[in-house]
Amino acid sequence: MENREYTQDMGKRVGQKIREIRENLGLSQAVCALHLDVKHQQWSKWETGHDAPRLRTLYHISCVLGTTVSEIVSVLDTNQPSLPPVAKKRIVEGAV
């Protein structure tokens, strides 16, 4: 998987987690967006992985959802490598 695809996959998984938490709370995208002072279209982009929130924004999202950033990004701890294969190869080659 190339770096861009890897990053997009991570964004989609984080977005799916945001959506899951929001829906479990019974909140709409519009209500959540209102609390962050963003348009609901922006919230939708985060949930679909079309745009990734910055770390500070991710913190504010977690506050709106009554959770932690760790809980939201926990989906990244599954059987995926911590670095894309290309990056791992570069690190190993650089160490030699």
Side-chain angles (χ1 to χ4, degrees):
M1 185 180 304
E2 294 195 25
N3 288 338
R4 182 178 173 96
E5 291 171 347
Y6 182 82
T7 302
Q8 288 173 339
D9 179 59
M10 288 176 18
K12 286 181 182 179
R13 288 190 283 152
V14 167
Q16 288 169 349
K17 185 66 174 181
I18 291 170
R19 182 179 189 148
E20 174 188 315
I21 295 168
R22 176 186 59 78
E23 288 178 343
N24 286 340
L25 293 171
L27 299 173
S28 69
Q29 288 180 343
V31 167
C32 292
L34 183 66
H35 284 285
L36 287 184
D37 196 27
V38 298
K39 294 182 179 183
H40 73 275
Q41 292 93 336
Q42 182 59 54
W43 190 280
S44 176
K45 287 180 183 178
W46 292 330
E47 286 189 0
T48 59
H50 286 95
D51 192 10
R54 294 175 182 254
L55 185 56
R56 175 177 272 167
T57 304
L58 193 57
Y59 168 75
H60 291 295
I61 290 170
S62 71
C63 291
V64 168
L65 299 176
T67 189
T68 63
V69 172
S70 295
E71 175 63 25
I72 294 172
V73 300
S74 67
V75 295
L76 302 178
D77 292 334
T78 58
N79 296 324
Q80 297 294 326
S82 57
L83 292 171
V86 173
K88 283 186 177 181
K89 182 178 179 186
R90 288 183 186 145
I91 290 170
V92 171
E93 288 174 355
V96 175

